[in-house]
Short mmCIF file of all heavy atoms in Angstrom, two decimals:
data_model
loop_
_atom_site.label_atom_id
_atom_site.label_comp_id
_atom_site.label_asym_id
_atom_site.label_seq_id
_atom_site.Cartn_x
_atom_site.Cartn_y
_atom_site.Cartn_z
N LEU A 1134 -39.68 39.09 -44.23
CA LEU A 1134 -40.79 38.45 -43.53
C LEU A 1134 -42.12 38.86 -44.14
O LEU A 1134 -42.25 39.95 -44.69
CB LEU A 1134 -40.78 38.84 -42.04
CG LEU A 1134 -39.52 38.49 -41.24
CD1 LEU A 1134 -39.70 38.94 -39.79
CD2 LEU A 1134 -39.22 37.00 -41.31
N ASP A 1135 -43.11 37.97 -43.99
CA ASP A 1135 -44.48 38.26 -44.42
C ASP A 1135 -45.31 38.68 -43.21
O ASP A 1135 -45.06 38.26 -42.07
CB ASP A 1135 -45.13 37.01 -45.03
CG ASP A 1135 -44.69 36.79 -46.47
OD1 ASP A 1135 -44.57 37.77 -47.21
OD2 ASP A 1135 -44.47 35.62 -46.84
N TRP A 1136 -46.34 39.49 -43.45
CA TRP A 1136 -47.33 39.79 -42.43
C TRP A 1136 -48.29 38.61 -42.30
O TRP A 1136 -48.68 38.01 -43.29
CB TRP A 1136 -48.13 41.03 -42.80
CG TRP A 1136 -47.34 42.29 -42.97
CD1 TRP A 1136 -46.95 42.86 -44.15
CD2 TRP A 1136 -46.86 43.14 -41.94
NE1 TRP A 1136 -46.26 44.02 -43.92
CE2 TRP A 1136 -46.18 44.22 -42.56
CE3 TRP A 1136 -46.92 43.11 -40.54
CZ2 TRP A 1136 -45.58 45.25 -41.85
CZ3 TRP A 1136 -46.33 44.14 -39.81
CH2 TRP A 1136 -45.66 45.20 -40.47
N ARG A 1137 -48.69 38.29 -41.10
CA ARG A 1137 -49.74 37.28 -40.90
C ARG A 1137 -51.08 37.92 -41.25
O ARG A 1137 -51.43 39.00 -40.74
CB ARG A 1137 -49.75 36.78 -39.47
CG ARG A 1137 -50.87 35.76 -39.21
CD ARG A 1137 -50.97 35.39 -37.74
NE ARG A 1137 -52.15 34.59 -37.47
CZ ARG A 1137 -52.15 33.29 -37.22
NH1 ARG A 1137 -50.98 32.64 -37.17
NH2 ARG A 1137 -53.28 32.62 -36.98
N THR A 1138 -51.87 37.26 -42.08
CA THR A 1138 -53.17 37.78 -42.49
C THR A 1138 -54.32 36.98 -41.88
O THR A 1138 -55.46 37.45 -41.89
CB THR A 1138 -53.30 37.77 -44.02
OG1 THR A 1138 -53.11 36.44 -44.51
CG2 THR A 1138 -52.27 38.71 -44.65
N GLU A 1139 -54.05 35.77 -41.35
CA GLU A 1139 -55.11 34.97 -40.76
C GLU A 1139 -55.51 35.53 -39.40
O GLU A 1139 -54.67 35.97 -38.63
CB GLU A 1139 -54.67 33.51 -40.60
CG GLU A 1139 -54.36 32.79 -41.90
CD GLU A 1139 -52.95 33.09 -42.39
OE1 GLU A 1139 -52.21 33.79 -41.67
OE2 GLU A 1139 -52.62 32.64 -43.50
N PRO A 1140 -56.81 35.51 -39.08
CA PRO A 1140 -57.24 35.96 -37.75
C PRO A 1140 -56.73 35.01 -36.68
O PRO A 1140 -56.39 33.86 -36.96
CB PRO A 1140 -58.77 35.92 -37.85
CG PRO A 1140 -59.07 34.94 -38.93
CD PRO A 1140 -57.94 35.06 -39.91
N PHE A 1141 -56.68 35.49 -35.45
CA PHE A 1141 -56.21 34.65 -34.35
C PHE A 1141 -56.91 35.08 -33.07
O PHE A 1141 -57.50 36.15 -32.99
CB PHE A 1141 -54.69 34.75 -34.20
CG PHE A 1141 -54.19 36.16 -33.95
CD1 PHE A 1141 -54.09 36.67 -32.65
CD2 PHE A 1141 -53.83 36.97 -35.00
CE1 PHE A 1141 -53.66 37.95 -32.42
CE2 PHE A 1141 -53.38 38.27 -34.77
CZ PHE A 1141 -53.30 38.75 -33.49
N ASN A 1142 -56.82 34.24 -32.07
CA ASN A 1142 -57.43 34.49 -30.78
C ASN A 1142 -56.37 34.51 -29.68
O ASN A 1142 -55.25 34.03 -29.90
CB ASN A 1142 -58.47 33.41 -30.46
CG ASN A 1142 -59.63 33.41 -31.43
OD1 ASN A 1142 -60.18 34.47 -31.73
ND2 ASN A 1142 -60.01 32.23 -31.92
N PRO A 1143 -56.71 35.02 -28.50
CA PRO A 1143 -55.78 34.88 -27.37
C PRO A 1143 -55.38 33.43 -27.18
O PRO A 1143 -56.21 32.51 -27.34
CB PRO A 1143 -56.61 35.40 -26.18
CG PRO A 1143 -57.54 36.40 -26.79
CD PRO A 1143 -57.91 35.81 -28.12
N GLY A 1144 -54.12 33.22 -26.87
CA GLY A 1144 -53.59 31.87 -26.76
C GLY A 1144 -52.67 31.50 -27.90
O GLY A 1144 -51.95 30.49 -27.83
N LEU A 1145 -52.68 32.29 -28.99
CA LEU A 1145 -51.77 32.02 -30.11
C LEU A 1145 -50.33 32.07 -29.62
O LEU A 1145 -49.92 33.02 -28.94
CB LEU A 1145 -51.97 33.05 -31.21
CG LEU A 1145 -51.03 32.93 -32.42
CD1 LEU A 1145 -51.40 31.71 -33.27
CD2 LEU A 1145 -51.06 34.20 -33.26
N LYS A 1146 -49.55 31.05 -29.95
CA LYS A 1146 -48.14 31.03 -29.56
C LYS A 1146 -47.36 32.02 -30.42
O LYS A 1146 -47.48 32.03 -31.65
CB LYS A 1146 -47.56 29.63 -29.74
CG LYS A 1146 -46.18 29.47 -29.11
CD LYS A 1146 -45.73 28.02 -29.12
CE LYS A 1146 -44.39 27.85 -28.39
NZ LYS A 1146 -43.95 26.43 -28.38
N VAL A 1147 -46.59 32.87 -29.77
CA VAL A 1147 -45.84 33.92 -30.48
C VAL A 1147 -44.41 33.99 -29.94
O VAL A 1147 -44.11 33.52 -28.84
CB VAL A 1147 -46.52 35.30 -30.33
CG1 VAL A 1147 -47.82 35.36 -31.12
CG2 VAL A 1147 -46.76 35.63 -28.87
N PHE A 1148 -43.56 34.65 -30.75
CA PHE A 1148 -42.15 34.82 -30.41
C PHE A 1148 -41.73 36.26 -30.69
O PHE A 1148 -42.09 36.81 -31.73
CB PHE A 1148 -41.29 33.86 -31.23
CG PHE A 1148 -41.72 32.42 -31.14
CD1 PHE A 1148 -42.68 31.91 -32.02
CD2 PHE A 1148 -41.19 31.59 -30.17
CE1 PHE A 1148 -43.10 30.60 -31.93
CE2 PHE A 1148 -41.60 30.27 -30.07
CZ PHE A 1148 -42.56 29.76 -30.95
N ALA A 1149 -41.01 36.84 -29.75
CA ALA A 1149 -40.52 38.22 -29.91
C ALA A 1149 -39.05 38.18 -30.28
O ALA A 1149 -38.22 37.66 -29.53
CB ALA A 1149 -40.72 39.01 -28.61
N ALA A 1150 -38.72 38.77 -31.43
CA ALA A 1150 -37.34 38.78 -31.92
C ALA A 1150 -36.78 40.20 -31.85
O ALA A 1150 -37.52 41.18 -32.03
CB ALA A 1150 -37.29 38.28 -33.37
N GLY A 1151 -35.50 40.31 -31.58
CA GLY A 1151 -34.89 41.63 -31.54
C GLY A 1151 -33.49 41.60 -30.98
O GLY A 1151 -32.91 40.53 -30.75
N TYR A 1152 -32.96 42.79 -30.75
CA TYR A 1152 -31.60 42.95 -30.25
C TYR A 1152 -31.60 43.79 -28.97
O TYR A 1152 -31.17 44.95 -28.96
CB TYR A 1152 -30.72 43.62 -31.30
CG TYR A 1152 -30.34 42.70 -32.44
CD1 TYR A 1152 -31.16 42.57 -33.56
CD2 TYR A 1152 -29.17 41.94 -32.39
CE1 TYR A 1152 -30.82 41.72 -34.60
CE2 TYR A 1152 -28.82 41.09 -33.44
CZ TYR A 1152 -29.65 40.99 -34.54
OH TYR A 1152 -29.31 40.15 -35.56
N PRO A 1153 -32.11 43.23 -27.86
CA PRO A 1153 -32.07 43.99 -26.59
C PRO A 1153 -30.64 44.16 -26.12
O PRO A 1153 -29.78 43.30 -26.36
CB PRO A 1153 -32.87 43.10 -25.64
CG PRO A 1153 -32.70 41.72 -26.20
CD PRO A 1153 -32.67 41.90 -27.69
N LEU A 1154 -30.39 45.28 -25.44
CA LEU A 1154 -29.03 45.56 -24.97
C LEU A 1154 -28.63 44.60 -23.87
O LEU A 1154 -27.46 44.26 -23.71
CB LEU A 1154 -28.93 47.01 -24.48
CG LEU A 1154 -27.52 47.56 -24.31
CD1 LEU A 1154 -26.73 47.49 -25.60
CD2 LEU A 1154 -27.57 48.99 -23.80
N ASN A 1155 -29.60 44.14 -23.05
CA ASN A 1155 -29.33 43.22 -21.96
C ASN A 1155 -28.19 43.72 -21.09
O ASN A 1155 -28.18 44.87 -20.69
CB ASN A 1155 -29.06 41.81 -22.49
CG ASN A 1155 -30.33 41.18 -23.06
OD1 ASN A 1155 -31.43 41.51 -22.64
ND2 ASN A 1155 -30.18 40.28 -24.00
N LEU A 1156 -27.19 42.91 -20.82
CA LEU A 1156 -26.10 43.30 -19.94
C LEU A 1156 -24.92 43.90 -20.69
O LEU A 1156 -23.92 44.27 -20.08
CB LEU A 1156 -25.62 42.09 -19.11
CG LEU A 1156 -26.69 41.44 -18.23
CD1 LEU A 1156 -26.09 40.25 -17.49
CD2 LEU A 1156 -27.26 42.45 -17.25
N ASP A 1157 -25.02 43.99 -21.99
CA ASP A 1157 -23.92 44.57 -22.78
C ASP A 1157 -23.93 46.09 -22.64
O ASP A 1157 -24.95 46.71 -22.39
CB ASP A 1157 -24.08 44.21 -24.26
CG ASP A 1157 -24.02 42.72 -24.49
OD1 ASP A 1157 -23.08 42.09 -24.01
OD2 ASP A 1157 -24.95 42.19 -25.15
N THR A 1158 -22.77 46.70 -22.79
CA THR A 1158 -22.67 48.16 -22.79
C THR A 1158 -22.39 48.71 -24.18
O THR A 1158 -22.63 49.87 -24.43
CB THR A 1158 -21.56 48.63 -21.82
OG1 THR A 1158 -20.32 48.02 -22.21
CG2 THR A 1158 -21.90 48.24 -20.39
N ASP A 1159 -21.85 47.88 -25.06
CA ASP A 1159 -21.58 48.28 -26.43
C ASP A 1159 -22.70 47.72 -27.32
O ASP A 1159 -22.93 46.51 -27.34
CB ASP A 1159 -20.23 47.72 -26.88
CG ASP A 1159 -19.81 48.23 -28.25
OD1 ASP A 1159 -20.69 48.67 -29.03
OD2 ASP A 1159 -18.61 48.19 -28.56
N PRO A 1160 -23.42 48.59 -28.04
CA PRO A 1160 -24.52 48.09 -28.86
C PRO A 1160 -24.09 47.08 -29.90
O PRO A 1160 -24.88 46.23 -30.30
CB PRO A 1160 -25.08 49.36 -29.51
CG PRO A 1160 -23.97 50.36 -29.44
CD PRO A 1160 -23.24 50.04 -28.17
N LEU A 1161 -22.85 47.16 -30.34
CA LEU A 1161 -22.37 46.19 -31.33
C LEU A 1161 -22.32 44.78 -30.75
O LEU A 1161 -22.31 43.80 -31.49
CB LEU A 1161 -20.99 46.61 -31.85
CG LEU A 1161 -20.95 47.88 -32.70
CD1 LEU A 1161 -19.52 48.20 -33.10
CD2 LEU A 1161 -21.83 47.74 -33.93
N ASP A 1162 -22.29 44.68 -29.40
CA ASP A 1162 -22.24 43.37 -28.76
C ASP A 1162 -23.62 42.79 -28.50
O ASP A 1162 -23.74 41.65 -28.05
CB ASP A 1162 -21.49 43.46 -27.43
CG ASP A 1162 -20.01 43.80 -27.63
OD1 ASP A 1162 -19.48 43.47 -28.70
OD2 ASP A 1162 -19.41 44.38 -26.71
N ALA A 1163 -24.68 43.58 -28.73
CA ALA A 1163 -26.04 43.08 -28.47
C ALA A 1163 -26.34 41.90 -29.38
O ALA A 1163 -26.15 41.97 -30.60
CB ALA A 1163 -27.06 44.19 -28.67
N ASP A 1164 -26.82 40.81 -28.80
CA ASP A 1164 -27.07 39.59 -29.55
C ASP A 1164 -28.54 39.47 -29.96
O ASP A 1164 -29.43 39.98 -29.28
CB ASP A 1164 -26.71 38.37 -28.70
CG ASP A 1164 -25.22 38.30 -28.39
OD1 ASP A 1164 -24.42 38.64 -29.27
OD2 ASP A 1164 -24.88 37.91 -27.25
N TYR A 1165 -28.75 38.77 -31.04
CA TYR A 1165 -30.11 38.43 -31.46
C TYR A 1165 -30.76 37.57 -30.39
O TYR A 1165 -30.17 36.62 -29.88
CB TYR A 1165 -30.08 37.68 -32.79
CG TYR A 1165 -31.43 37.14 -33.21
CD1 TYR A 1165 -32.40 37.98 -33.73
CD2 TYR A 1165 -31.73 35.78 -33.07
CE1 TYR A 1165 -33.64 37.49 -34.12
CE2 TYR A 1165 -32.96 35.27 -33.45
CZ TYR A 1165 -33.91 36.14 -33.98
OH TYR A 1165 -35.13 35.65 -34.36
N THR A 1166 -31.98 37.94 -30.02
CA THR A 1166 -32.68 37.24 -28.94
C THR A 1166 -34.09 36.89 -29.38
O THR A 1166 -34.75 37.66 -30.07
CB THR A 1166 -32.75 38.13 -27.67
OG1 THR A 1166 -31.42 38.43 -27.26
CG2 THR A 1166 -33.47 37.42 -26.54
N LEU A 1167 -34.55 35.70 -28.98
CA LEU A 1167 -35.89 35.25 -29.29
C LEU A 1167 -36.52 34.73 -28.00
O LEU A 1167 -35.94 33.91 -27.30
CB LEU A 1167 -35.85 34.13 -30.34
CG LEU A 1167 -37.16 33.79 -31.04
CD1 LEU A 1167 -37.60 34.93 -31.93
CD2 LEU A 1167 -36.99 32.51 -31.86
N THR A 1168 -37.69 35.27 -27.66
CA THR A 1168 -38.40 34.81 -26.47
C THR A 1168 -39.79 34.35 -26.86
O THR A 1168 -40.36 34.82 -27.85
CB THR A 1168 -38.52 35.93 -25.41
OG1 THR A 1168 -39.18 37.06 -26.00
CG2 THR A 1168 -37.14 36.36 -24.93
N ALA A 1169 -40.36 33.43 -26.08
CA ALA A 1169 -41.63 32.80 -26.43
C ALA A 1169 -42.73 33.19 -25.46
O ALA A 1169 -42.48 33.50 -24.29
CB ALA A 1169 -41.48 31.28 -26.45
N GLY A 1170 -43.97 33.17 -25.94
CA GLY A 1170 -45.12 33.44 -25.10
C GLY A 1170 -46.39 33.21 -25.88
O GLY A 1170 -46.39 32.53 -26.91
N ILE A 1171 -47.49 33.77 -25.39
CA ILE A 1171 -48.77 33.67 -26.08
C ILE A 1171 -49.42 35.05 -26.14
O ILE A 1171 -49.09 35.95 -25.36
CB ILE A 1171 -49.73 32.68 -25.40
CG1 ILE A 1171 -50.06 33.14 -23.98
CG2 ILE A 1171 -49.16 31.27 -25.41
CD1 ILE A 1171 -51.17 32.35 -23.32
N VAL A 1172 -50.34 35.21 -27.07
CA VAL A 1172 -51.14 36.42 -27.12
C VAL A 1172 -52.12 36.40 -25.95
O VAL A 1172 -52.82 35.41 -25.72
CB VAL A 1172 -51.91 36.51 -28.45
CG1 VAL A 1172 -52.94 37.64 -28.41
CG2 VAL A 1172 -50.94 36.71 -29.61
#
């Protein structure tokens, strides 16, 4: 991935990516998750 270098203001649409444990108990079962929001 590249870093964003352009300036931005509150309201920019963003997405959080990662592997939260959620309801799983085995970390190997944690799924890739993407959630949406704004700055």
Side-chain angles (χ1 to χ4, degrees):
L1134 300 181
D1135 281 320
W1136 300 101
R1137 178 187 172 106
T1138 57
E1139 297 83 4
F1141 58 88
N1142 296 314
L1145 177 72
K1146 191 172 184 179
V1147 290
F1148 306 88
Y1152 286 88
L1154 195 58
N1155 290 333
L1156 301 179
D1157 298 309
T1158 57
D1159 187 338
L1161 292 178
D1162 294 334
D1164 296 322
Y1165 173 76
T1166 300
L1167 195 68
T1168 57
I1171 62 171
V1172 170

